[in-house]
Amino acid sequence: MGGFGFISGLPLSLSGFTLRQWLTEGHVSLAAIGLTANIGIAYSLKFLWAPALDHIRPPGWLARLGRRRGWLLAIQPLLVLGAIWLAFSDPRLAPLPCIAAAASVAFLSASQDIVIDAWRIETFPERMQGAAMAAYVWGYRFALLVSGAGAIGLAGPLGWHGSLLLMAALLALGPLVSLAAAEPAAERLAHEPVGWRARMGNAIIAPFRDFWRRPGAGEILAFVALFKLGEAMAGTMAPPFYHAMGFNRAAVALATGVPSLAASLAGAATGGVLVARLGAGRALIWTGFAQTAAMLLYLLLAVSHGNVAILLAKVLVEAFADSMADAAFITFLSALCSPGYTATQYALLSSLAALAYRTVGGLSGILAARLGWVDFYAFTVFAALPAMALMLHMLRRVPEASR
């Protein structure tokens, strides 16, 4: 799980934070940088092709490795090629190929995530999901450090092309992790239909019908869609915000480096403990409010006039709170998935979770330019509150939310 978390986290910064830092140094406009959040729309739409990965056998000889491992070994080499394409592009000379390369990395990364999430849910019993999730978050956060602060820091001595090629080389570890993993036991649905058309209809319709029939389905989906709204808006504009506050590349790499990783690992462990003691639903309340409170440090940083100590404190608190909330949130989503539909239902839920980042997050540059940094970050704090109010309501009225 630690290895899968690492391979899953590496591509995210390559099409997100690191890409925006690259564009910021290339003097691309704030509006354009904000809109780069939309290149990862695949993370929000992956439920559209998740049924195929749930029910169609991997191509050729890869089918012998099983449904989950076979698809991973089909996707991961293409993901490496997409990262190499991104490394050889240059947003200053030809921004369109650079954006296309980042979009391909995001699409293949989202496809890989579909299979990894299904593998995790099918492999570990319910009592082990919390521990599995903690290991995943540790690997994931370490990968964000490597492809975020690591790639930005290495862009100095190696140049951006050399730094991104090194990230592509690390992604080549993915097939080794997949080969080392055991294929989970296949889940057979009761009364599975016979015939290609009937099977595809079942693959596409049945997972959504199964989820929608459960109590409080609409409230659960609304909460999932809103939970990351404030964080998405705040995080999208972090690179240009740091630049506007006078922090150079070295300061950003230092603040988001090893100290941030340590805070993230501590946050993931704390989130796992809270889930075990309180249940995923109640742990989400505590961690969600902590995550929202951490965003207040953006306001402090905005009036600090380039204070490196405040930047470091802001990054540490935010990393701890975000990892703590992620551990509770992902465990909550995993518990909602029915056996036999794990890839499709988790893809639906995680797609909704990324919806705010990929839509409203894309408008954050326009809002920041019009409001100014202080008013913009005050707005992001208030944008996080509706999800918390909905979660409090769900704990009282929706049984599954309080588990």
Side-chain angles (χ1 to χ4, degrees), residues 19 22-23 26 85-99 101 160-161 164:
L19 175 67
W22 194 8
L23 296 177
W85 179 18
L86 178 63
F88 281 111
S89 63
D90 192 335
R92 296 169 298 179
L93 301 178
L96 201 58
C98 179
I99 292 172
W160 279 108
H161 301 298
L164 294 178

Side-chain angles (χ1 to χ4, degrees), residues 26-246:
H27 305 290
V28 178
S29 69
L30 284 179
I33 293 173
L35 290 173
T36 60
N38 296 327
I39 67 176
I41 196 69
Y43 290 102
S44 297
L45 298 179
K46 60 185 179 181
F47 66 90
L48 294 177
W49 65 94
L53 299 178
D54 234 348
H55 290 268
I56 295 178
R57 291 167 61 86
W61 64 271
L62 293 173
R64 302 176 189 173
L65 298 173
R67 181 174 48 167
R68 302 309 182 197
R69 292 199 307 160
W71 274 117
L72 282 172
L73 288 168
I75 293 167
Q76 287 167 338
L78 297 177
L79 181 56
V80 174
L81 292 177
I84 293 173
W85 179 18
L86 178 63
F88 281 111
S89 63
D90 192 335
R92 296 169 298 179
L93 301 178
L96 201 58
C98 179
I99 292 172
S104 72
V105 169
F107 171 78
L108 292 165
S109 173
S111 302
Q112 176 183 242
D113 287 351
I114 292 171
V115 188
I116 289 176
D117 290 328
W119 183 89
R120 169 178 54 84
I121 295 169
E122 294 172 355
T123 297
F124 294 95
E126 186 174 350
R127 67 182 185 278
M128 292 294 294
Q129 285 291 330
M133 198 64 254
Y136 179 87
V137 171
W138 279 44
Y140 191 87
R141 287 290 176 174
F142 183 68
L144 292 183
L145 168 67
V146 171
S147 62
I152 293 170
L154 289 171
L158 300 181
W160 279 108
H161 301 298
S163 176
L164 294 178
L165 275 175
L166 182 57
M167 298 302 110
L170 290 175
L171 278 172
L173 297 172
L176 299 179
V177 178
S178 298
L179 287 171
E183 180 69 12
E187 287 282 355
R188 289 293 179 186
L189 301 177
H191 311 297
E192 186 171 8
V194 178
W196 185 84
R197 290 187 180 181
R199 285 179 181 172
M200 287 310 299
N202 185 68
I204 296 170
I205 298 172
F208 302 103
R209 183 175 55 203
D210 172 81
F211 188 89
W212 192 252
R213 285 177 174 175
R214 67 186 62 191
E219 293 168 297
I220 292 172
L221 293 178
F223 164 74
V224 170
L226 291 173
F227 185 69
K228 292 288 185 179
L229 178 59
E231 181 197 1
M233 298 177 67
T236 296
M237 297 313 299
F241 173 58
Y242 297 154
H243 185 77
M245 294 299 103

Side-chain angles (χ1 to χ4, degrees), residues 285-366:
I285 292 294
W286 291 98
T287 59
F289 277 113
Q291 179 177 264
T292 301
M295 290 194 296
L296 292 171
L297 291 176
Y298 278 101
L299 297 174
L300 181 60
L301 188 60
V303 298
S304 69
H305 306 293
N307 190 312
V308 176
I310 295 179
L311 171 66
L312 182 60
K314 175 261 171 194
V315 171
L316 290 177
V317 172
E318 183 181 42
F320 179 86
D322 287 352
S323 290
M324 189 169 58
D326 285 347
F329 186 57
I330 297 173
T331 304
F332 175 73
L333 299 187
S334 301
L336 295 173
C337 298
S338 301
Y341 302 128
T342 49
T344 303
Q345 289 186 349
Y346 191 87
L348 170 65
L349 294 169
S350 57
S351 294
L352 279 175
L355 186 62
Y357 179 76
R358 305 301 172 189
T359 54
V360 179
L363 302 176
S364 57
I366 298 172

Side-chain angles (χ1 to χ4, degrees), residues 268-279 283:
T270 304
V273 171
L274 288 174
V275 169
R277 293 187 176 183
L278 304 177

